[in-house]
Amino acid sequence: MAFSEIIDSLVRIAGRENVLTEDEDRRVYSYDATSQWKAMPDAVVFPANTGQVEGIVRLADAKGVPLTPRGGGTNVSGGSVPIRGGIALVMTKMNRILSVEPENLSARVEAGAVLMDLQGALAARKLIFPPDPQSFLGATLGGIIAENAGGPVCVKYGVTKQYILGIKAVIPAAGRAVEFGGVTVKNVVGYDLVSLITGSEGTLGVITEAVLRLMPLPAARKTLLALFDDLPKAGEAVGMVFDSGTVPAKIELLDNWVIRSINRTAGMKLPENAAAMLMFELDGRPEAVESDAAKVMRVCMAAGATGTTAAGNDAEALSWWRARSAGFAAVFSAAPTVLAEDVTVPRSRMPEFIRKVTGICKTMGLEVTVIGHAGDGNLHPSVLTDQKNAAHFEKAKIAVDRIVEAAIEFGGVLSGEHGIGLEKMKFMRRTQDPFFIEAMKQIKKTFDPRGIMNPGKIWED
Amino acid sequence: MKTSGSLENIRKFRADVEQCMKCGFCGYFCPVYRESRMEKGLARGKNQLIKATLTGEQGLTRGFYEAIDNCLLCKTCVQYCPAKTRIDRAVTAARADYAADAGLPLAKSLVLRFVLPNRRLFGAALRFASWFQHVLPGSGGRFRHLPHFLAALGAGRTIPEIAPRFLRSLLPENNPAPGPARRRVAFFPGCAAEFVFPETAAMLVRTLNGLGCDVVLDRRQGCCGAAAYFSGDFETGRRLARKNVSALEGYDSIVTGCATCGAGLREYAVYLAGDAAEKRRLEAFASRVADFSEFVVMLLSENAGGLQLNPGFEGRKATWHDPCHLSRHQEIREQPRKILKAVAGLEFVEMPGADRCCGLGGSFSITHFEASKRIADLKAESIAASGANLVVTACPGCIIQLRDAISRRRMKVEVAHIGELFSVKGAARADNPG
Ligand SMILES: Cc1cc2nc3c(=O)[nH]c(=O)nc-3n(C[C@H](O)[C@H](O)[C@H](O)COP(=O)(O)OP(=O)(O)OC[C@H]3O[C@@H](n4cnc5c(N)ncnc54)[C@H](O)[C@@H]3O)c2cc1C
Ligand code: SF4
Ligand code: SF4
C-alpha cells in the first residue's frame, strides 16, 4: 500500500485539516527539547477523540506504520522524535479537563491537556496535582505520564506514578481503548498495569485520558536560598537538613554557571562567585512552615553556607522559582550540543558524586554544569560540547560515560526523570540486567505485537 | 522546493534566530498556538523553520510563508521566553527575506506601495469601497495588509465609519498653546487618527496644548509604515521611514496616540537602516518618539492630578487594555494606569490578563479571521470578569477589535481611547474641536 493511501485513510479518520504532510509541517515535529535528535515523520495527525485514536492505531498496526505519540514535545531524551518516520500522533488538540471532583480529590483529563492549564483550573478550587516537572508551561499530562515525570516537589510528594489512579489508553494488541486502574486510591485488582504504562515512553500504547489524584493546596509556602562557596558542601547540607527531621517540599541545587546565568537573564543579584546555591520550599501549616524555615537556615549555616535568605512574599518567591526554571532551561542550550545527564544517586552519596563529576570533567578539560533536584539525589550534570567538533564531542561522550558509570557505582540509576528515549539507550545494556531488558521486550510484544509504537526507543535492537 | 533567497535579513538577526532552545514554554503564552495547537503556529516552530533556512534545510517556500505569516508580532512569547528569544525580530526578518525573494502577493503590494504612502489616494480609496476592491484584485474583495486598524474593516467586523472630515481639514498645521509654550512638539496622528478617529486626535492635540505645548501637525509626514515593514515590505517601510524622519527629526518630541505608530516609528532603527550612519539617525529619531500617555505623565511630572474627567465618563468603572504595541513593543505599562487612577471621578479596576493580545495583529485579523475572533473573545471574557463598563486603551486597531468583540457578545461596555477621557484643568475643553 502506498503511503498516499495511508494518508487518505488518516484523512477519513481525523479530517483533512488534522492531517499534515507538507515539509514544513513535518519539520516542526522532527525535534524535541534536546539539541541533537531530529527525524521527520512522514505525516502528522491530530486526533480529536479516543475513537479517532483507535482508528489511527488500528490503521498503523494493520499497515505496520511507525506511530510516535507526542504531547508538548518538551522531553529531553529524544522520546517524541519519530526516528523511524511514519506518523507523528500529536495529542495537543485533545486538551480538555473533563472533570474535577474535590470530594474524591481527583480529576479526569484528556492526554493533551497542558499541566499549567490544569493547575490553573485546580487552583480555583484550592487543589493541586503535585508532580511539577519544570516544563509545566508546555508539557502535557500524556507526556508527563509517559515519562513518569518528576520535579522539585518529589522530595516530599513523590513522582507522577503516585498520582495516577487510572489511564485510558489505546493498545495495538487490543485494537481499542482499554481502561486501566480506576478512580479509587486503593486498587489491588491484579498486576499494576497503570504503573506499567506510566513511564512507558509511548512504546505500549497511546494514552488518551487519565484519572489523576489531587491534593489540597498547602495553606502556606516559604522559599529560602542558601549560598555556598563549594559545590559538594551544598550537597552535604541537603543530608543535614533531612537529618534534622525536616522534609522540605523542594530542594534545588544550582551551580555557579546557573547562578551567573540567572543574574543575567532574570536580573537577580546573587554573588557571582558563589559556587552553589540551594533553593528550598517549605509548605504546610503556616506555623510549621515558619519554624521549619528557621531550622533549615540554621542547618545550612552550620553546614558551611556563606549566607541564607528568605523570600519576603509570594511574588518574590515566584520570581525566584521562575529564575531557577529559566536557569535550568538555559543549561540545555548553553552550547551547540549539551549532553544533559539525568543520573540519580542516593542522597547520602551526592557530595562524593559531585566531586567525582567535576573531577572527571576537569581532568578532561571539559566544561560541565551541575544542577539538579538535590532533595532526591537527581542531578543533571551537563557537559557542554559541539557535535560538529568531532574531537571535542568524542571527549564529551567519554566523560558522560564515566559520569554514568560513577553514578551506577555509587548505587544510583541512569535516569531519574527524563526517561531513556534515544539519548540514554546506549547505556541500557551496560547498566541493566539482561533479564530486565528481555522482560520489557516481551511486555512490549504483548501490548504491541507488530512493534509500531514509538519504535527504536529505550533499548537497542 | 524553491531555493533560498538572499536571507540577508535572517542572517542579520541570526543571534535572535539561534537563541531558541526549544523548551516549549511559549506554548502556554502564544495566542496563535493556543488556538491552533499546531507547532507551526508556535513561536518555537516558527523559529526552528527560520533557523533551518540558515543550514539550507528549509527553503523560502509557500509553507514557510504560512508559518511566518501566522504571527501577531504580539511579543508575548518574547516576554516569557526564558532564553529571551526575540521571535518578533526573527519573524519580521524572515518576512522581509520572503518578500524580497518571492514578492508580496499582488494585492498586498499594491496597497502597501501605492495607496498608503499617498494619503490623498488613500482617503479617496476609503471613501469609495468599490474602487478599493478594484485595487485589490485576487483578494476576494477582502482587505489585506492594511494598517492594523483598517485590516479589521474586512471580514465582517462592525465597521467604523470613515470620518466625514479628515484630521488635516479639522485642524491647522500649527496649533499653538493658549499661554506661553513650554515646548514645541510634533503630533503624529497616523492613518487611523487621520481618517477614522480625527475627533479623538483633535482632543489629544488640545490636551497637549493645555499642558503648554505648541503642537505641529507637520504636513510632510505620512503613514508610519509599520503595516508595510512588519509584513516584510522593507522597501516601502524604508521609503516611509525616510519621509517621516526627514519631516520630523527636527522636533524634540514626536507624540502619537497610536500604539502601533509608536512602535513602528521606534523600530525603524531595528529593521530599516541601510548603514551604520542611518542606524544612528534612526535611533536618534526613535529616542524622540513618545506615546501620548507616556508624554502626558512626563509633562505632569508623574502627577496626573492636573487632569479632569470629561463629562460622560463620570462614575464609570474603567479598565485598561494593554496594546501589544504599547506594552511589549514600547514597555509602556504604568503611565496610562497612573492617569486612570489619578483622574477623579473614575473607578479603576485591573482585568485579568490585561496585557493579553486582542488578536488583531494587522493582516492576521483577515488572513486568520476565525482565530482572530476567538482570541478577541478571550479578551472580551477578561473584560467581563473585571466588571468594568469602560475599556480604555491607546491603539485604534485594538479599539476596533474590542468594539467588535464586545458588540458580538452584546456586552454593555464602551471602548475609548485614553485621550478621550480627560482634559487639562483650567484649559479650554476639547470636546468641541474644529
Ligand atoms: C526546560 C525543561 C525542564 C524540564 N524539567 C523537567 C522536570 O523537572 N522533571 C521531569 O521529569 N522532566 C522535565 N523535563 C522533561 C519533559 O518536560 C518531560 O519529560 C515531560 O513529561 C514531557 O511532556 P510532553 O507533553 O512534552 O511530552 P513529549 O515530549 O511530547 O513526549 C514525551 C514522551 O511521551 C510520549 N507521549 C507523549 N504523549 C503521549 C500519549 N498521550 N500517550 C503515550 N505516549 C505519549 C512520547 O512518545 C515521548 O516518548 C523538562 C524539559 C525541559 C525542556
Ligand atoms: S521561543 Fe523561547 S519559550 Fe519558545 S521554545 Fe524557544 S526558548 Fe522556549
Ligand atoms: S509574537 Fe505572538 S503570535 Fe507571534 S509567535 Fe510570539 S506569541 Fe505567538
Side-chain angles (χ1 to χ4, degrees), chain B residues 26 29-33 41-44 46 70-78 87-88 91 95 324 328-329 357 364:
Chain B
C26 43
F29 301 104
C30 174
V32 169
Y33 177 75
L42 180 61
R44 175 175 63 178
K46 290 165 200 167
N70 194 6
C71 178
L72 293 155
L73 295 184
C74 68
K75 290 183 74 174
T76 317
C77 52
V78 182
I87 308 291
D88 58 318
V91 166
R95 287 177 178 179
C324 303
R328 281 179 287 269
H329 283 255
C357 179
F364 182 89

Side-chain angles (χ1 to χ4, degrees), chain A residues 31-34 67-81 89-92 110-114 132-136 138-152 154 159-160 168-169 197 200-209 252 324-326 328-330 332 342 373 378 380 416-419 421 453-454 457, chain B residues 21-25 44 82:
Chain A
Y31 51 75
D32 60 5
T34 51
L67 187 67
T68 302
R70 186 183 192 269
T74 68
N75 78 88
V76 281
S77 63
S80 62
V81 173
L89 187 69
V90 185
M91 302 300 289
T92 49
E110 287 187 323
V114 171
D132 61 342
Q134 291 301 288
S135 47
F136 50 81
T140 63
L141 269 306
I144 287 165
I145 295 169
E147 296 284 12
N148 188 16
C154 323
V159 296
T160 299
K168 185 192 268 187
I197 293 181
S200 64
E201 301 191 24
T203 61
L204 299 181
V206 183
I207 301 162
T208 61
E209 285 178 23
E252 297 291 291
R324 178 251 162 242
S325 170
F328 272 36
F332 296 110
D342 180 34
H373 313 300
N378 183 192
H380 301 311
E417 57 178 25
H418 293 165
M453 290 304 310
N454 203 1
K457 306 288 167 70
Chain B
M21 60 198 183
K22 300 199 258 107
C23 68
F25 288 10
R44 175 175 63 178

Side-chain angles (χ1 to χ4, degrees), chain A residues 24 27 29 31 34 72 117, chain B residues 22 34 39 44 58 61:
Chain A
E24 295 77 16
R27 176 159 294 121
Y29 290 101
Y31 51 75
T34 51
D117 285 319
Chain B
K22 300 199 258 107
R34 288 196 63 93
E39 181 91 13
R44 175 175 63 178
Q58 175 64 51
T61 57

